[in-house]
């Protein structure tokens, strides 16, 4: 079987290829691909030679290729209970973890990915089940309720479907098992599925864990294992291999899609082939020259390139007396037929570095070669002295025994990767250097928003630190790509931080001191619109230059406004006032239209970012912006009426306003015909308004009492009796336009509560609104009573409303300022981006910025907070139990339960003994004991939900089965699933025993 990618329809100029867009691995000596590559180029061997035990048998070789931390796993991250994790094959856990890591490297979040994601993979023999799990289970438990749990976590059939379930993948999930060639066959099968459009991104790889990890092996003469613990591929002294542990996964996409999506392409798969030797060999386990020749021919035919263009071959290269000569003979036949000169093609084997990783060996060889093709260096194949005498002196191949540069030459770098399985299933993949990508656009000095999130607070702190270290020395032009990758290529977890920076160094410094937020779900947003007094010439000037969506709405309003004011609004907003010059926006007839325009354009900017406000609250003029946004007025009518409102107010005699620290009753005692309450902004934050003489008297009186009072910079006595003459004319103007009921709820300034449809559509309400006191503090109370967790966004200059709201609601409220005030330093765009980041970090569903040209770049992935989940062998005493972490519903769920307590790193998982409770214990405690034992969680409360604890439907049926035996009843599973808590299960059990629902509730 070959992937005939080289023979596309005549309509296509180029055949479709497969891009390697992500890769991840854990191998002996390295926790990730970067560490693996570093070891390779330095020629590090990660096969260890230990001291042999005193009772070692004859022929024992103390060589091991261990995988660090194979016992540890972040069960909570993947939504698994501690008990489920410790029962599962560690190979499945490793594969799941690296699938996630490969997706992160590919910049793919399955929750937000366009198209389907599939997964192909396989594992080696599950020795953990045999050595660690089964010895601890007696016959009754094996035949009772354990087989299903053991099956799903240990049988190879469920490897990929469990990955698909845990990560939310909806493409094919196919387990592949072809012995040593398993993971490279998985790659070939995944590539074919992509070409057949079965999915749009494919994960492929394998995992292998040799147990016990600290035990070597017994050498047998003529066997496959090395007599001295060294793998000498193609060397004269080659005598065997060393088996080890590891895992690798690659993420693949169609190349055309990868380039269109701005993916980072590590390398390109030109073609691949898979076949079997059949009976063309001396025995089942023997290799076949003919079979390998055929798979090579098929692969290069599929790739549509000549073997003569290949600059390196990563061989299966086990270092065995029979395997190496057979493999080289097959390669010689295929390459020599293309005229390749003797000794001109470097060849190597990663098994000399890390051992033979069995089912994972093929993908690890592929990852090594992908990195070599990408980086332009050929790592050394170790322990090579001289040619194996059983290979041809005229072979086109020479072992690459040292680090060599690998220039691209006249064409792209190309390589072949082979993997052959016991039983004769052969695979070969042809790779090519990725096509060149355009240089990133220069973004030097441009403010950008960087976002980071994690599942837990500690993971967030580590993520921010790792990200800071990774980007602080990055080229300045890469900052836009970094911001894009963080915003659009990563999962959004509940613990979040956001910073604004103009350079990688500034971003790194900001990340190290960034404040953390906890988004508990999709948080509602409320828009606040300030009133007159906050405006200034040049407000939002930078936004007019940098934010097209904002500028578009300003332009629209400026065109509508010009006939009513005879002034160029855009000119007033785009040009700051000169120092010492008068600000034309002090004039009421210009101030109100300008402020309305800015607030409306800001609201449209936020809604274009995907933010739909749950409610609106304006202050004085700001209520007009709220009403327009809610649909009460059309934009054209609102602009005209705001202009009329400002003109009519500006025609009234001048007055004064005084901010005082009094209660409403105390303030009302000062009022009279010439002085009234204009605004109740917060507790003891009241504004008086009236004639100059009346305000002066009140100011003097309060000064004598020692009461704080401050004159406001204003031209008129707004919201006072001095505006009475404008009410009727303005009502007549409002009556000329149609008024609609609100589509978005907003709070009335006049009543301090939600506006009614009758009020919103009454012209006299809007005329009287200019005269009535602004009950802003009451409005804040109404908002927060309806949406206590809402994020308040102040859409206008400054932060006065935010301060009033915080004073009214208490210090826990943290409104977000979106536009700097007149006396605030800083850049407009930075201020707005910081507000966007704060809203996102607190859980508001916002669309984060992207310029459309940015591409994905490699960044550190989510930290794995691993804990020990391991059943010790019966010969080894288990460490003392520790409290286990309670998982959430997996990386696809942005909620985290608070129950449970995590053990410290390296401790054993909680595996409570069989339920032991007092004979006098009540039903709830007896049920809780069952839950603790089955789920492996020590602390379980009566109202804990099974699914929030990480359980599933299988656990539900197991719990019901145990409860049935304990109470000798038949519990209805469906009733339990309606409310899957300990208390509900106990209630059902008692009810089944007594047929008395009242007693059940009491119990």
């Amino acid at each position: 079987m070959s992937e005939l990618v080289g023979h596309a329809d005549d309509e296509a100029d180029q055949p479709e290829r497969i891009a390697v867009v992500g890769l991840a691995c854990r191998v002996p000596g390295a926790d990730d691909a970067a560490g693996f590559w570093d070891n390779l180029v330095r020629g590090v061997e990660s096969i260890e030679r230990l001291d042999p035990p005193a009772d070692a048998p004859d022929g024992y070789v103390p060589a091991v290729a261990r995988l660090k931390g194979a016992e540890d796993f972040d069960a909570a991250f993947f939504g698994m209970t501690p008990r489920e994790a410790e029962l599962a094959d560690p190979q499945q856990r490793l594969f799941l973890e690296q699938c996630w890591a490969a997706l992160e490297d590919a910049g793919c979040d399955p929750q937000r990915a366009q198209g389907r994601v599939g997964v192909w993979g396989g594992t080696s023999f599950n020795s953990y089940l045999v050595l660690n799990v089964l010895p601890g289970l007696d016959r009754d438990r094996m035949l009772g309720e354990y087989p299903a749990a053991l099956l799903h976590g240990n049988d190879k059939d469920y490897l990929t479907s469990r990955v698909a379930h845990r990560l939310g993948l909806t493409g094919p999930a196919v387990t592949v098992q072809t012995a040593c060639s398993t993971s490279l066959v998985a790659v070939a099968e995944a590539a074919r599925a992509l070409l057949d459009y079965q999915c749009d991104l494919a994960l492929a790889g394998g995992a292998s864990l040799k147990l016990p990890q600290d035990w070597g092996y017994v050498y047998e003469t003529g066997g496959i294992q090395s007599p001295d613990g060294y793998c000498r591929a193609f060397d004269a002294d080659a005598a065997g291999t060393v088996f080890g542990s590891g895992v690798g996964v690659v993420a693949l996409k169609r190349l055309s899609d990868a380039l269109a999506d701005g993916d980072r392409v590590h390398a390109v798969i030109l073609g691949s082939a898979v076949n079997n030797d059949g009976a063309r060999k001396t025995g089942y386990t023997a290799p076949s020259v003919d079979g390998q020749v055929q798979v090579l021919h098929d692969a290069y035919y599929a790739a549509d390139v000549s073997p003569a263009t290949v600059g390196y071959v990563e061989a299966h290269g086990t270092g065995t007396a029979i395997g190496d000569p057979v493999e080289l003979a097959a390669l010689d036949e295929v390459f020599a037929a293309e005229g390749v000169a003797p000794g001109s093609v470097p060849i190597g084997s990663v098994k000399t570095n890390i051992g033979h990783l069995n089912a994972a060996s093929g993908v690890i060889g592929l990852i090594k070669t992908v990195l070599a093709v990408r980086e332009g260096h050929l790592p050394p194949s170790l322990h090579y002295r001289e040619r194996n005498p059983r290979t041809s002196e005229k072979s086109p191949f020479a072992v690459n025994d040292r680090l060599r540069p690998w220039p691209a030459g006249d064409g792209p770098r190309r390589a072949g990767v082979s993997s052959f399985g016991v039983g004769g299933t052969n695979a070969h993949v042809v790779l090519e250097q990725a096509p060149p990508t355009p240089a990133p656009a220069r973004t030097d000095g441009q403010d950008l928003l960087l976002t980071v999130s994690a599942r837990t607070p500690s993971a967030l702190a580590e993520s921010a630190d790792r990200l800071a270290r990774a980007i602080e020395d990055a080229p300045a032009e890469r900052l836009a790509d970094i911001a894009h990758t963080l915003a659009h290529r990563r999962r959004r977890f509940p613990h979040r931080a956001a910073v604004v920076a103009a350079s990688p160094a500034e971003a790194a410094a900001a990340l190290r001191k960034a404040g953390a937020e906890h988004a508990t779900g999709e948080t509602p947003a409320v828009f606040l619109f300030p009133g007159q007094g906050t405006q200034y010439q040049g407000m939002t000037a930078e936004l007019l230059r940098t934010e097209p969506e904002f500028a578009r709405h300003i332009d629209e309003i400026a065109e509508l406004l010009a006939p009513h004011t005879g002034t160029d609004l855009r000119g007033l907003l785009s040009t700051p006032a000169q120092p010492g010059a008068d600000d034309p926006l002090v004039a009421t007839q210009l101030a109100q239209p300008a402020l309305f325009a800015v607030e409306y354009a800001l609201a449209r900017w936020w809604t274009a970012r995907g933010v739909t406000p749950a409610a609106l609250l304006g202050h004085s003029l700001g209520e007009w912006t709220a009403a327009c946004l809610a649909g009460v007025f059309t934009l054209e009518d609102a602009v005209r009426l705001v202009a009329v409102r400002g003109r009519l107010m500006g025609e009234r005699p001048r007055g004064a306003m005084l901010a005082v620290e009094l209660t409403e009753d105390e303030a009302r005692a000062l009022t009279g015909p010439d002085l009234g309450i204009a605004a109740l902004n917060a507790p003891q934050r009241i504004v008086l308004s009236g004639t100059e003489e009346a305000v002066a008297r009140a100011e003097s009186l309060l000064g004598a009492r020692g009461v704080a009072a401050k004159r406001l910079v204003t031209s008129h006595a707004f919201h006072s009796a001095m505006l009475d003459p404008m009410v009727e004319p303005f009502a007549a103007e409002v009556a000329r336009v149609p008024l609609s009921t609100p589509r978005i709820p907003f709070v009335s300034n006049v009543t301090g509560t939600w506006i009614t449809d009758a009020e919103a559509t009454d012209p006299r309400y809007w005329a009287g609104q200019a005269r009535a006191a602004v009950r802003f503090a009451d409005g804040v109370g109404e908002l927060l009573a309806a949406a206590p967790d809402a994020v308040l966004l102040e859409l206008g200059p400054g932060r006065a409303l935010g301060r009033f709201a915080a004073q009214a609601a208490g210090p826990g409220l943290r409104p977000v300022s979106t536009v700097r005030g007149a006396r605030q330093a800083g850049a407009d765009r930075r201020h707005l981006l910081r507000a966007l980041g704060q809203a996102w970090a607190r859980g508001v569903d916002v669309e984060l910025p992207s310029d459309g040209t940015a591409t994905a770049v490699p960044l550190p992935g989510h930290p794995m907070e691993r804990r020990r989940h391991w059943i010790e062998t019966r010969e080894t005493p288990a460490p003392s139990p520790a409290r286990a972490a309670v998982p959430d519903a997996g990386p696809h769920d942005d909620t985290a339960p608070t129950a449970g307590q995590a053990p410290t790193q390296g401790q054993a998982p909680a595996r409570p003994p069989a339920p032991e409770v007092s004979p006098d214990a009540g039903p709830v405690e007896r049920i809780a004991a069952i839950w603790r034992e089955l789920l492996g969680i020590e602390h379980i409360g009566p109202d804990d939900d099974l699914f929030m604890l990480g359980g599933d439907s299988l656990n539900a049926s197991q719990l019901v089965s145990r409860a049935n035996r304990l109470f000798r009843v038949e519990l209805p599973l469906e009733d339990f699933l309606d409310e899957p808590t300990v208390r509900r299960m106990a209630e059902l059990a008692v009810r089944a025993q007594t047929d008395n629902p009242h007693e059940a509730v009491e119990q």
Side-chain angles (χ1 to χ4, degrees):
M1 182 271 298
S2 60
E3 316 315 330
L4 301 180
V5 299
H7 302 274
D9 295 338
D10 294 338
E11 297 179 3
D13 293 332
Q14 293 293 331
E16 184 66 273
R17 307 296 195 179
I18 299 300
V20 180
V21 295
L23 52 85
C25 65
R26 287 176 64 189
V27 296
D31 292 331
D32 53 34
F36 178 43
W37 178 248
D38 182 63
N39 285 346
L40 289 173
V41 297
R42 292 190 295 113
V44 173
E45 182 191 22
S46 297
I47 299 172
E48 305 171 76
R49 285 146 198 97
L50 309 178
D51 294 331
D55 58 349
D58 292 342
Y60 177 75
V61 180
V64 295
R66 297 185 288 192
L67 186 65
K68 178 184 175 184
E71 303 88 354
D72 303 332
F73 179 62
D74 192 345
F77 183 84
F78 293 105
M80 295 171 66
T81 66
R83 183 61 174 157
E84 181 184 8
E86 72 173 10
L87 282 174
D89 180 2
Q91 296 176 124
Q92 291 203 19
R93 302 182 338 200
L94 290 165
F95 185 69
L96 172 61
E97 182 184 275
Q98 293 306 296
C99 282
W100 172 261
L103 285 171
E104 282 196 307
D105 189 59
C108 174
D109 174 8
Q111 280 188 348
R112 295 189 288 163
Q114 298 295 316
R116 298 193 301 165
V117 179
V119 56
W120 284 256
T123 59
S124 298
F125 176 73
N126 183 0
S127 52
Y128 178 75
L129 177 66
V130 175
L131 298 177
N132 297 59
V133 179
L134 294 181
L137 300 179
D138 58 34
R139 181 179 182 278
D140 289 341
R141 296 173 79 185
M142 276 293 297
L143 297 179
E145 56 197 304
Y146 272 98
L150 289 176
L151 191 68
H152 295 167
N154 288 277
D155 195 294
K156 294 177 180 180
D157 286 357
Y158 304 101
L159 170 70
T160 53
S161 58
R162 280 167 62 85
V163 170
H165 171 66
R166 292 296 176 188
L167 301 185
L169 313 183
T170 59
V174 182
T175 298
V176 178
Q177 293 300 155
T178 61
C180 312
S181 60
T182 288
S183 55
L184 199 62
V185 172
V187 171
E189 292 296 311
R192 182 176 69 166
L194 285 166
L195 295 173
D196 289 344
Y197 286 82
Q198 296 178 34
C199 60
D200 301 285
L201 185 144
L203 299 171
S208 184
L209 184 63
K210 175 185 172 292
L211 294 178
Q213 284 216 87
D214 57 359
W215 175 259
Y217 55 90
V218 176
Y219 170 70
E220 295 179 350
T221 304
I224 193 174
Q225 297 187 98
S226 168
D228 59 2
Y230 291 90
C231 179
R232 300 179 174 86
F234 306 110
D235 186 71
D237 294 332
T241 195
V242 177
F243 285 99
S245 302
V247 55
V249 178
V250 292
L252 311 176
K253 286 179 77 170
R254 290 178 290 273
L255 178 60
S256 59
D257 290 344
L259 296 176
D261 294 342
D263 293 321
R264 182 194 191 204
V265 178
H266 296 278
V268 176
I269 295 177
L270 298 179
S272 61
V274 177
N275 74 352
N276 192 272
D277 296 333
R280 299 171 293 181
K281 54 186 179 180
T282 59
Y284 174 72
T285 61
S288 165
V289 173
D290 291 343
Q292 293 182 23
V293 166
Q294 187 62 57
V295 83
L296 292 168
H297 275 307
D298 288 350
Y300 289 100
Y301 177 78
D304 199 20
V305 297
S306 167
T309 64
V310 168
Y312 174 74
V313 170
E314 175 66 19
H316 186 62
T318 55
T320 57
I322 297 176
D324 282 3
V326 168
E327 180 173 8
L328 208 52
L331 285 165
D332 289 351
E333 181 174 334
V334 174
F335 277 69
E338 296 289 322
V340 180
S344 61
V345 182
I347 192 171
S349 172
V350 73
K351 294 177 180 65
T352 63
N353 301 85
I354 59 173
H356 189 335
L357 303 192
N358 210 320
S361 61
V363 74
I364 295 300
L366 179 76
I367 289 173
K368 169 193 170 180
T369 312
V370 165
L371 296 173
V373 166
R374 188 188 78 189
E375 300 298 327
H377 292 282
L378 290 175
S381 192
L382 307 183
H383 314 309
Y384 181 80
R385 279 189 316 106
E386 58 179 323
R387 179 184 60 83
N388 188 324
R390 300 181 63 184
T391 61
S392 171
E393 294 180 355
K394 297 181 180 180
S395 170
F397 297 93
V399 173
N400 189 67
D401 59 355
R402 66 200 65 186
L403 179 66
R404 287 187 171 90
W406 187 9
D410 296 333
R413 291 184 285 270
R414 286 182 182 153
V417 182
S418 291
S419 188
F420 309 130
V422 170
T425 299
N426 309 307
H428 189 79
V429 172
V430 184
L431 291 175
E432 183 177 274
Q433 182 181 358
T437 55
R442 301 288 298 183
T443 57
D444 302 19
Q446 179 180 347
D447 287 329
L448 296 167
L449 177 64
L450 285 81
T451 55
V452 60
S453 68
R455 199 187 68 84
T456 65
S458 55
L460 177 63
E462 185 178 349
S463 289
D465 183 66
R466 287 167 56 178
L467 181 61
R469 284 186 275 116
I471 70 174
E472 60 186 338
D473 295 323
E477 60 269 20
R478 276 297 178 195
L479 188 61
D481 293 334
I482 293 167
H484 167 79
T485 302
L486 292 170
H488 299 284
R489 298 300 197 100
R490 290 295 170 92
R491 175 68 53 87
R492 295 181 176 183
F493 290 100
H495 295 274
R496 303 178 178 183
V499 301
V500 177
S503 70
E506 183 188 10
L511 284 165
R512 290 190 172 102
K513 58 184 180 182
E517 299 285 354
H518 185 201
T520 55
E522 192 171 310
T523 306
V526 169
F527 290 175
L528 304 181
F529 301 106
Q532 186 174 341
T534 59
Q535 78 286 344
Y536 59 93
Q537 183 179 349
M539 59 180 171
T540 69
E542 185 185 1
L543 300 184
L544 286 170
R545 299 191 303 271
T546 62
E547 300 300 321
E549 181 69 18
F550 175 81
R552 182 171 70 85
H553 290 289
I554 291 292
D555 289 344
E556 181 182 13
I557 294 174
E559 186 174 340
L560 293 172
L561 186 64
H564 304 293
T565 62
T567 304
D568 177 17
L569 173 66
R570 188 180 178 103
L572 292 173
L573 296 179
S574 61
T575 306
Q578 295 298 318
D582 291 337
D583 187 341
L585 289 186
V586 170
T588 298
Q589 57 267 36
L590 293 180
Q592 294 193 17
L595 193 58
F596 172 87
V598 166
E599 293 175 355
Y600 181 86
L602 282 170
R604 290 304 185 196
W605 185 91
W606 281 89
T607 56
R609 293 279 172 208
V611 179
T612 300
L616 311 167
L617 172 59
H619 190 288
S620 188
L621 173 77
E623 188 175 354
W624 281 80
T625 313
C628 182
L629 201 65
V632 174
F633 303 99
T634 66
L635 178 61
E636 183 176 1
D637 289 340
V639 169
R640 186 182 71 81
L641 290 173
V642 166
V644 171
R645 184 179 190 267
R647 177 176 57 79
L648 291 175
M649 287 184 175
E651 292 172 351
R652 302 309 306 146
R654 298 179 67 86
M657 302 181 77
L658 185 70
V660 299
E661 295 185 6
L662 298 172
T663 66
E664 181 176 357
D665 289 340
E666 290 170 339
R668 199 166 300 283
L670 298 174
T671 61
D674 297 330
L675 185 69
I677 295 177
L680 299 97
N681 292 322
Q684 293 192 306
R685 294 293 185 274
I686 288 179
V687 176
L688 300 175
S689 179
T691 63
E692 173 64 37
E693 296 78 9
V695 168
R697 287 195 301 273
E699 185 177 19
S700 175
L701 179 62
L702 293 172
R705 295 179 185 173
V707 176
K710 180 182 178 182
R711 285 283 188 119
L712 300 184
V713 180
T714 182
S715 58
H716 292 78
F718 301 117
H719 297 280
S720 76
M722 295 186 71
L723 298 185
D724 285 345
M726 69 160 281
V727 172
E728 289 302 326
F730 190 48
E733 289 290 337
V734 178
R736 292 172 51 193
V737 305
L739 303 179
S740 302
T741 57
R743 294 191 299 269
I744 303 173
F746 66 93
V747 174
S748 162
N749 279 183
V750 177
T751 64
T753 187
W754 301 103
I755 197 162
T756 65
D757 290 349
E759 289 169 336
T761 54
D762 182 358
R764 296 196 64 80
Y765 170 85
W766 292 105
Q769 186 259 4
R771 164 67 177 86
V774 177
R775 305 195 68 86
F776 184 77
D778 292 343
V780 170
E782 286 288 322
L783 280 177
L784 296 180
D789 58 341
V791 173
L792 307 187
L793 302 174
E794 185 167 356
L795 305 191
R799 47 197 175 198
L801 294 193
R803 287 171 174 165
F804 292 152
Q807 290 166 355
L813 187 70
R814 292 176 299 140
V816 176
S817 168
T818 65
V819 176
R820 65 181 181 87
R823 289 184 293 276
Q824 285 180 269
D828 294 335
R829 186 169 187 273
R830 174 169 287 227
H831 200 99
L832 184 60
L833 286 179
R834 186 177 292 118
L836 186 68
Q838 289 174 351
W840 174 84
R842 296 183 198 176
V844 177
D845 186 14
V846 300
E847 181 182 333
L848 296 173
S850 179
D851 63 8
T853 62
T855 59
V857 292
L859 295 173
H862 190 287
M864 290 290 114
E865 297 184 304
R866 300 184 181 101
R867 302 289 185 266
R868 186 178 178 88
H869 295 285
W870 196 258
I871 297 174
E872 302 295 339
T873 57
R874 295 178 69 88
E875 293 78 15
T876 305
S880 58
R883 289 185 294 272
V886 177
D888 66 8
H892 52 281
D893 188 339
D894 290 341
T895 60
T898 56
Q901 183 176 348
T904 57
Q905 185 73 24
Q907 285 184 310
R911 185 188 175 189
E916 293 183 6
V917 295
S918 167
D920 299 326
V924 169
E925 179 52 37
R926 295 164 73 188
I927 291 292
I930 295 175
W931 285 45
R932 289 195 297 270
E933 193 274 336
L934 181 68
L935 301 179
I937 300 171
E938 183 174 354
H939 297 295
I940 292 180
D943 297 311
D944 283 343
D945 184 289
L946 172 64
F947 298 107
M948 292 300 294
L949 293 172
D952 54 26
S953 56
L954 174 61
N955 296 140
S957 63
Q958 291 172 320
L959 288 169
V960 168
S961 175
R962 292 189 179 195
N964 286 343
R965 289 199 296 272
L966 180 64
F967 289 92
R968 293 183 174 85
V969 295
E970 288 294 327
L971 301 187
L973 178 61
E974 295 78 7
D975 288 357
F976 170 63
L977 290 175
D978 287 340
E979 186 183 341
T981 66
V982 171
R983 191 185 305 279
R984 176 61 172 167
M985 178 171 274
E987 177 185 326
L988 291 172
V990 174
R991 181 176 296 174
Q993 286 181 323
T994 65
D995 290 326
N996 185 339
H998 297 294
E999 182 178 346
V1001 171
E1002 292 172 2
Q1003 293 268 10

